[in-house]
Amino acid sequence: MSGDAPILLIEDADRVRTMTLNRPDSLNAFNEALYDALTDALHEAAEDPAVAVVLLTGGGRAFSAGTDLVEMGERISNPDFEPGRHGFIGLIDALEAFDKPLILAVNGLGLGIGLTVIGFADLVLMSADARLKTPFTSLGVAPEAASSYLLPRLIGRQNAAWILLSAEWVSAAEAREMGLVWRVCEPAGLMAEARRVAVTLASRPISSLREVKRDMTAPLREEIRRARERENDGFARLMGGPANAEALAAFAEGRDPDFASLPPGW
């Protein structure tokens, strides 16, 4: 990928706007620029009367590797770090407010926001060879994106507990069995099937699509807000703490973190 290639590709067809995360060399990890780009794109799609449905996928072999850990480390260590206009919080605001159908085509590995975005999606299709996980406990931080509320609601408490507590990979078959994703496709057929599903929805009246989604999500909004407040507070308390510092140091040094040697209680 050339240095000046856009980090988010956008294509319109049949009232479907396809957005492709395009940092393949970084496994589509979200840096501040990508958070801003996707947030702006969601706002624009919501306001565009020609867009009925948004289909989100990743370029290359990953869906998204979550937050860019290199940039996260810089954010903690550099007092002059300049955050983006929207950042992570702004993206979750945009996902929560997005009132048109959002379809995900999980084409490869998804970590962190690459999994928790599912809580805001209406339909999720996943490649049979893709994998998902939330790395929160392996990074010594808290959940994000209201996943502590949305995942138990979507897949049940014990499935959500395993995903959020273990930081272990979940296969496509396991994700389908849990109800985390709607449909699993052969890798070569994923995008064709996702587009077929998106075009089917996009053939319906936009006014009706928006009303159905608003009615389905309205009962969740207050609990999502509360969950995000709890999670953001926990993240602020844990980020930069002993466990997170050890995790980031281990990542930078290419080793496994040693959480057994942390201070008592950490």
Side-chain angles (χ1 to χ4, degrees), residues 146-170:
S147 57
S148 60
Y149 168 67
L150 291 172
L151 286 187
R153 185 180 178 278
L154 182 63
I155 60 177
R157 173 157 179 167
Q158 293 187 69
N159 285 328
W162 177 249
I163 287 175
L164 293 172
L165 291 169
S166 74
E168 291 290 319
W169 287 106
V170 173

PDB file of all heavy atoms in Angstrom, residues 146-170:
ATOM      1  N   ALA A 146     -19.382  -0.297  25.381  1.00  0.00           N
ATOM      2  CA  ALA A 146     -20.577  -0.876  26.014  1.00  0.00           C
ATOM      3  C   ALA A 146     -20.631  -2.396  25.860  1.00  0.00           C
ATOM      4  O   ALA A 146     -21.693  -2.993  26.021  1.00  0.00           O
ATOM      5  CB  ALA A 146     -21.857  -0.240  25.487  1.00  0.00           C
ATOM      6  N   SER A 147     -19.481  -3.024  25.603  1.00  0.00           N
ATOM      7  CA  SER A 147     -19.477  -4.477  25.402  1.00  0.00           C
ATOM      8  C   SER A 147     -19.855  -5.225  26.675  1.00  0.00           C
ATOM      9  O   SER A 147     -20.379  -6.343  26.604  1.00  0.00           O
ATOM     10  CB  SER A 147     -18.106  -4.947  24.908  1.00  0.00           C
ATOM     11  OG  SER A 147     -17.069  -4.569  25.799  1.00  0.00           O
ATOM     12  N   SER A 148     -19.629  -4.620  27.842  1.00  0.00           N
ATOM     13  CA  SER A 148     -20.004  -5.275  29.094  1.00  0.00           C
ATOM     14  C   SER A 148     -21.515  -5.379  29.231  1.00  0.00           C
ATOM     15  O   SER A 148     -22.015  -6.201  30.005  1.00  0.00           O
ATOM     16  CB  SER A 148     -19.423  -4.513  30.283  1.00  0.00           C
ATOM     17  OG  SER A 148     -19.905  -3.174  30.318  1.00  0.00           O
ATOM     18  N   TYR A 149     -22.259  -4.557  28.493  1.00  0.00           N
ATOM     19  CA  TYR A 149     -23.720  -4.645  28.451  1.00  0.00           C
ATOM     20  C   TYR A 149     -24.213  -5.349  27.195  1.00  0.00           C
ATOM     21  O   TYR A 149     -25.060  -6.254  27.254  1.00  0.00           O
ATOM     22  CB  TYR A 149     -24.338  -3.242  28.529  1.00  0.00           C
ATOM     23  CG  TYR A 149     -25.808  -3.212  28.202  1.00  0.00           C
ATOM     24  CD1 TYR A 149     -26.744  -3.818  29.041  1.00  0.00           C
ATOM     25  CD2 TYR A 149     -26.266  -2.596  27.032  1.00  0.00           C
ATOM     26  CE1 TYR A 149     -28.099  -3.799  28.730  1.00  0.00           C
ATOM     27  CE2 TYR A 149     -27.612  -2.581  26.720  1.00  0.00           C
ATOM     28  CZ  TYR A 149     -28.524  -3.180  27.572  1.00  0.00           C
ATOM     29  OH  TYR A 149     -29.863  -3.167  27.250  1.00  0.00           O
ATOM     30  N   LEU A 150     -23.669  -4.967  26.044  1.00  0.00           N
ATOM     31  CA  LEU A 150     -24.202  -5.467  24.779  1.00  0.00           C
ATOM     32  C   LEU A 150     -23.870  -6.939  24.540  1.00  0.00           C
ATOM     33  O   LEU A 150     -24.708  -7.681  24.006  1.00  0.00           O
ATOM     34  CB  LEU A 150     -23.675  -4.612  23.619  1.00  0.00           C
ATOM     35  CG  LEU A 150     -24.224  -3.181  23.578  1.00  0.00           C
ATOM     36  CD1 LEU A 150     -23.485  -2.360  22.523  1.00  0.00           C
ATOM     37  CD2 LEU A 150     -25.728  -3.180  23.294  1.00  0.00           C
ATOM     38  N   LEU A 151     -22.673  -7.390  24.902  1.00  0.00           N
ATOM     39  CA  LEU A 151     -22.334  -8.791  24.638  1.00  0.00           C
ATOM     40  C   LEU A 151     -23.164  -9.761  25.483  1.00  0.00           C
ATOM     41  O   LEU A 151     -23.679 -10.745  24.933  1.00  0.00           O
ATOM     42  CB  LEU A 151     -20.837  -9.035  24.836  1.00  0.00           C
ATOM     43  CG  LEU A 151     -19.907  -8.478  23.750  1.00  0.00           C
ATOM     44  CD1 LEU A 151     -18.477  -8.940  23.990  1.00  0.00           C
ATOM     45  CD2 LEU A 151     -20.350  -8.872  22.353  1.00  0.00           C
ATOM     46  N   PRO A 152     -23.326  -9.555  26.800  1.00  0.00           N
ATOM     47  CA  PRO A 152     -24.207 -10.475  27.533  1.00  0.00           C
ATOM     48  C   PRO A 152     -25.623 -10.491  26.976  1.00  0.00           C
ATOM     49  O   PRO A 152     -26.270 -11.543  26.938  1.00  0.00           O
ATOM     50  CB  PRO A 152     -24.185  -9.918  28.965  1.00  0.00           C
ATOM     51  CG  PRO A 152     -22.882  -9.211  29.063  1.00  0.00           C
ATOM     52  CD  PRO A 152     -22.652  -8.622  27.703  1.00  0.00           C
ATOM     53  N   ARG A 153     -26.100  -9.335  26.526  1.00  0.00           N
ATOM     54  CA  ARG A 153     -27.443  -9.274  25.959  1.00  0.00           C
ATOM     55  C   ARG A 153     -27.524 -10.042  24.634  1.00  0.00           C
ATOM     56  O   ARG A 153     -28.532 -10.684  24.332  1.00  0.00           O
ATOM     57  CB  ARG A 153     -27.846  -7.811  25.737  1.00  0.00           C
ATOM     58  CG  ARG A 153     -29.271  -7.630  25.255  1.00  0.00           C
ATOM     59  CD  ARG A 153     -29.605  -6.157  25.064  1.00  0.00           C
ATOM     60  NE  ARG A 153     -30.958  -6.034  24.549  1.00  0.00           N
ATOM     61  CZ  ARG A 153     -31.288  -6.158  23.275  1.00  0.00           C
ATOM     62  NH1 ARG A 153     -30.361  -6.413  22.378  1.00  0.00           N
ATOM     63  NH2 ARG A 153     -32.549  -6.030  22.884  1.00  0.00           N
ATOM     64  N   LEU A 154     -26.449  -9.987  23.868  1.00  0.00           N
ATOM     65  CA  LEU A 154     -26.436 -10.611  22.545  1.00  0.00           C
ATOM     66  C   LEU A 154     -26.207 -12.116  22.617  1.00  0.00           C
ATOM     67  O   LEU A 154     -26.853 -12.887  21.887  1.00  0.00           O
ATOM     68  CB  LEU A 154     -25.343  -9.953  21.690  1.00  0.00           C
ATOM     69  CG  LEU A 154     -25.177 -10.422  20.251  1.00  0.00           C
ATOM     70  CD1 LEU A 154     -26.433 -10.138  19.428  1.00  0.00           C
ATOM     71  CD2 LEU A 154     -23.970  -9.746  19.606  1.00  0.00           C
ATOM     72  N   ILE A 155     -25.290 -12.553  23.478  1.00  0.00           N
ATOM     73  CA  ILE A 155     -24.867 -13.960  23.438  1.00  0.00           C
ATOM     74  C   ILE A 155     -24.986 -14.669  24.786  1.00  0.00           C
ATOM     75  O   ILE A 155     -24.578 -15.819  24.905  1.00  0.00           O
ATOM     76  CB  ILE A 155     -23.411 -14.084  22.919  1.00  0.00           C
ATOM     77  CG1 ILE A 155     -22.422 -13.332  23.812  1.00  0.00           C
ATOM     78  CG2 ILE A 155     -23.321 -13.587  21.483  1.00  0.00           C
ATOM     79  CD1 ILE A 155     -20.959 -13.478  23.390  1.00  0.00           C
ATOM     80  N   GLY A 156     -25.545 -13.992  25.800  1.00  0.00           N
ATOM     81  CA  GLY A 156     -25.659 -14.616  27.116  1.00  0.00           C
ATOM     82  C   GLY A 156     -24.465 -14.316  27.995  1.00  0.00           C
ATOM     83  O   GLY A 156     -23.363 -14.050  27.521  1.00  0.00           O
ATOM     84  N   ARG A 157     -24.694 -14.382  29.311  1.00  0.00           N
ATOM     85  CA  ARG A 157     -23.651 -13.965  30.242  1.00  0.00           C
ATOM     86  C   ARG A 157     -22.404 -14.837  30.165  1.00  0.00           C
ATOM     87  O   ARG A 157     -21.279 -14.335  30.202  1.00  0.00           O
ATOM     88  CB  ARG A 157     -24.196 -13.973  31.672  1.00  0.00           C
ATOM     89  CG  ARG A 157     -23.100 -13.707  32.678  1.00  0.00           C
ATOM     90  CD  ARG A 157     -23.586 -13.173  33.971  1.00  0.00           C
ATOM     91  NE  ARG A 157     -22.442 -12.966  34.870  1.00  0.00           N
ATOM     92  CZ  ARG A 157     -22.492 -12.282  35.987  1.00  0.00           C
ATOM     93  NH1 ARG A 157     -23.618 -11.718  36.341  1.00  0.00           N
ATOM     94  NH2 ARG A 157     -21.427 -12.159  36.749  1.00  0.00           N
ATOM     95  N   GLN A 158     -22.553 -16.148  30.092  1.00  0.00           N
ATOM     96  CA  GLN A 158     -21.366 -16.993  30.161  1.00  0.00           C
ATOM     97  C   GLN A 158     -20.517 -16.899  28.894  1.00  0.00           C
ATOM     98  O   GLN A 158     -19.278 -16.863  28.969  1.00  0.00           O
ATOM     99  CB  GLN A 158     -21.765 -18.440  30.453  1.00  0.00           C
ATOM    100  CG  GLN A 158     -22.351 -18.594  31.853  1.00  0.00           C
ATOM    101  CD  GLN A 158     -22.597 -20.039  32.220  1.00  0.00           C
ATOM    102  OE1 GLN A 158     -21.668 -20.813  32.418  1.00  0.00           O
ATOM    103  NE2 GLN A 158     -23.869 -20.408  32.295  1.00  0.00           N
ATOM    104  N   ASN A 159     -21.144 -16.854  27.732  1.00  0.00           N
ATOM    105  CA  ASN A 159     -20.370 -16.647  26.503  1.00  0.00           C
ATOM    106  C   ASN A 159     -19.656 -15.302  26.549  1.00  0.00           C
ATOM    107  O   ASN A 159     -18.478 -15.193  26.172  1.00  0.00           O
ATOM    108  CB  ASN A 159     -21.288 -16.699  25.283  1.00  0.00           C
ATOM    109  CG  ASN A 159     -21.714 -18.104  24.933  1.00  0.00           C
ATOM    110  OD1 ASN A 159     -20.976 -19.060  25.138  1.00  0.00           O
ATOM    111  ND2 ASN A 159     -22.920 -18.248  24.404  1.00  0.00           N
ATOM    112  N   ALA A 160     -20.370 -14.268  27.010  1.00  0.00           N
ATOM    113  CA  ALA A 160     -19.757 -12.940  27.094  1.00  0.00           C
ATOM    114  C   ALA A 160     -18.639 -12.926  28.125  1.00  0.00           C
ATOM    115  O   ALA A 160     -17.591 -12.290  27.915  1.00  0.00           O
ATOM    116  CB  ALA A 160     -20.816 -11.901  27.447  1.00  0.00           C
ATOM    117  N   ALA A 161     -18.854 -13.639  29.244  1.00  0.00           N
ATOM    118  CA  ALA A 161     -17.812 -13.687  30.272  1.00  0.00           C
ATOM    119  C   ALA A 161     -16.537 -14.315  29.722  1.00  0.00           C
ATOM    120  O   ALA A 161     -15.422 -13.836  29.979  1.00  0.00           O
ATOM    121  CB  ALA A 161     -18.311 -14.469  31.487  1.00  0.00           C
ATOM    122  N   TRP A 162     -16.679 -15.390  28.952  1.00  0.00           N
ATOM    123  CA  TRP A 162     -15.500 -16.032  28.362  1.00  0.00           C
ATOM    124  C   TRP A 162     -14.773 -15.077  27.427  1.00  0.00           C
ATOM    125  O   TRP A 162     -13.544 -14.923  27.491  1.00  0.00           O
ATOM    126  CB  TRP A 162     -15.895 -17.310  27.632  1.00  0.00           C
ATOM    127  CG  TRP A 162     -14.732 -17.963  26.946  1.00  0.00           C
ATOM    128  CD1 TRP A 162     -14.520 -18.063  25.602  1.00  0.00           C
ATOM    129  CD2 TRP A 162     -13.601 -18.583  27.572  1.00  0.00           C
ATOM    130  NE1 TRP A 162     -13.326 -18.699  25.352  1.00  0.00           N
ATOM    131  CE2 TRP A 162     -12.739 -19.035  26.552  1.00  0.00           C
ATOM    132  CE3 TRP A 162     -13.231 -18.795  28.901  1.00  0.00           C
ATOM    133  CZ2 TRP A 162     -11.538 -19.684  26.809  1.00  0.00           C
ATOM    134  CZ3 TRP A 162     -12.023 -19.447  29.156  1.00  0.00           C
ATOM    135  CH2 TRP A 162     -11.196 -19.880  28.121  1.00  0.00           C
ATOM    136  N   ILE A 163     -15.525 -14.412  26.559  1.00  0.00           N
ATOM    137  CA  ILE A 163     -14.900 -13.503  25.601  1.00  0.00           C
ATOM    138  C   ILE A 163     -14.210 -12.339  26.313  1.00  0.00           C
ATOM    139  O   ILE A 163     -13.066 -11.988  26.006  1.00  0.00           O
ATOM    140  CB  ILE A 163     -15.945 -12.987  24.597  1.00  0.00           C
ATOM    141  CG1 ILE A 163     -16.330 -14.107  23.622  1.00  0.00           C
ATOM    142  CG2 ILE A 163     -15.421 -11.778  23.825  1.00  0.00           C
ATOM    143  CD1 ILE A 163     -17.445 -13.733  22.674  1.00  0.00           C
ATOM    144  N   LEU A 164     -14.891 -11.733  27.285  1.00  0.00           N
ATOM    145  CA  LEU A 164     -14.366 -10.525  27.921  1.00  0.00           C
ATOM    146  C   LEU A 164     -13.283 -10.818  28.956  1.00  0.00           C
ATOM    147  O   LEU A 164     -12.382  -9.997  29.160  1.00  0.00           O
ATOM    148  CB  LEU A 164     -15.503  -9.738  28.575  1.00  0.00           C
ATOM    149  CG  LEU A 164     -16.517  -9.119  27.606  1.00  0.00           C
ATOM    150  CD1 LEU A 164     -17.695  -8.540  28.371  1.00  0.00           C
ATOM    151  CD2 LEU A 164     -15.866  -8.044  26.733  1.00  0.00           C
ATOM    152  N   LEU A 165     -13.369 -11.971  29.622  1.00  0.00           N
ATOM    153  CA  LEU A 165     -12.416 -12.280  30.689  1.00  0.00           C
ATOM    154  C   LEU A 165     -11.173 -13.037  30.204  1.00  0.00           C
ATOM    155  O   LEU A 165     -10.084 -12.858  30.761  1.00  0.00           O
ATOM    156  CB  LEU A 165     -13.092 -13.116  31.784  1.00  0.00           C
ATOM    157  CG  LEU A 165     -14.145 -12.412  32.644  1.00  0.00           C
ATOM    158  CD1 LEU A 165     -14.889 -13.443  33.485  1.00  0.00           C
ATOM    159  CD2 LEU A 165     -13.502 -11.354  33.530  1.00  0.00           C
ATOM    160  N   SER A 166     -11.330 -13.868  29.180  1.00  0.00           N
ATOM    161  CA  SER A 166     -10.241 -14.782  28.829  1.00  0.00           C
ATOM    162  C   SER A 166      -9.207 -14.200  27.883  1.00  0.00           C
ATOM    163  O   SER A 166      -8.052 -14.622  27.885  1.00  0.00           O
ATOM    164  CB  SER A 166     -10.812 -16.059  28.196  1.00  0.00           C
ATOM    165  OG  SER A 166     -11.270 -15.811  26.871  1.00  0.00           O
ATOM    166  N   ALA A 167      -9.616 -13.256  27.026  1.00  0.00           N
ATOM    167  CA  ALA A 167      -8.746 -12.757  25.956  1.00  0.00           C
ATOM    168  C   ALA A 167      -8.290 -13.885  25.036  1.00  0.00           C
ATOM    169  O   ALA A 167      -7.214 -13.835  24.447  1.00  0.00           O
ATOM    170  CB  ALA A 167      -7.545 -11.996  26.518  1.00  0.00           C
ATOM    171  N   GLU A 168      -9.134 -14.922  24.880  1.00  0.00           N
ATOM    172  CA  GLU A 168      -8.828 -16.041  23.988  1.00  0.00           C
ATOM    173  C   GLU A 168      -9.548 -15.850  22.651  1.00  0.00           C
ATOM    174  O   GLU A 168     -10.567 -15.173  22.560  1.00  0.00           O
ATOM    175  CB  GLU A 168      -9.270 -17.359  24.625  1.00  0.00           C
ATOM    176  CG  GLU A 168      -8.455 -17.768  25.845  1.00  0.00           C
ATOM    177  CD  GLU A 168      -7.045 -18.188  25.488  1.00  0.00           C
ATOM    178  OE1 GLU A 168      -6.868 -18.891  24.472  1.00  0.00           O
ATOM    179  OE2 GLU A 168      -6.107 -17.813  26.230  1.00  0.00           O
ATOM    180  N   TRP A 169      -9.018 -16.497  21.617  1.00  0.00           N
ATOM    181  CA  TRP A 169      -9.618 -16.415  20.290  1.00  0.00           C
ATOM    182  C   TRP A 169     -10.942 -17.179  20.235  1.00  0.00           C
ATOM    183  O   TRP A 169     -11.087 -18.228  20.859  1.00  0.00           O
ATOM    184  CB  TRP A 169      -8.682 -16.999  19.235  1.00  0.00           C
ATOM    185  CG  TRP A 169      -7.493 -16.143  18.932  1.00  0.00           C
ATOM    186  CD1 TRP A 169      -6.203 -16.356  19.316  1.00  0.00           C
ATOM    187  CD2 TRP A 169      -7.482 -14.932  18.168  1.00  0.00           C
ATOM    188  NE1 TRP A 169      -5.389 -15.356  18.843  1.00  0.00           N
ATOM    189  CE2 TRP A 169      -6.146 -14.479  18.131  1.00  0.00           C
ATOM    190  CE3 TRP A 169      -8.473 -14.189  17.517  1.00  0.00           C
ATOM    191  CZ2 TRP A 169      -5.776 -13.306  17.473  1.00  0.00           C
ATOM    192  CZ3 TRP A 169      -8.102 -13.027  16.850  1.00  0.00           C
ATOM    193  CH2 TRP A 169      -6.773 -12.597  16.833  1.00  0.00           C
ATOM    194  N   VAL A 170     -11.868 -16.663  19.458  1.00  0.00           N
ATOM    195  CA  VAL A 170     -13.142 -17.321  19.175  1.00  0.00           C
ATOM    196  C   VAL A 170     -13.191 -17.578  17.675  1.00  0.00           C
ATOM    197  O   VAL A 170     -13.007 -16.652  16.869  1.00  0.00           O
ATOM    198  CB  VAL A 170     -14.330 -16.435  19.601  1.00  0.00           C
ATOM    199  CG1 VAL A 170     -15.654 -17.044  19.159  1.00  0.00           C
ATOM    200  CG2 VAL A 170     -14.320 -16.220  21.107  1.00  0.00           C
TER     201      VAL A 170
END
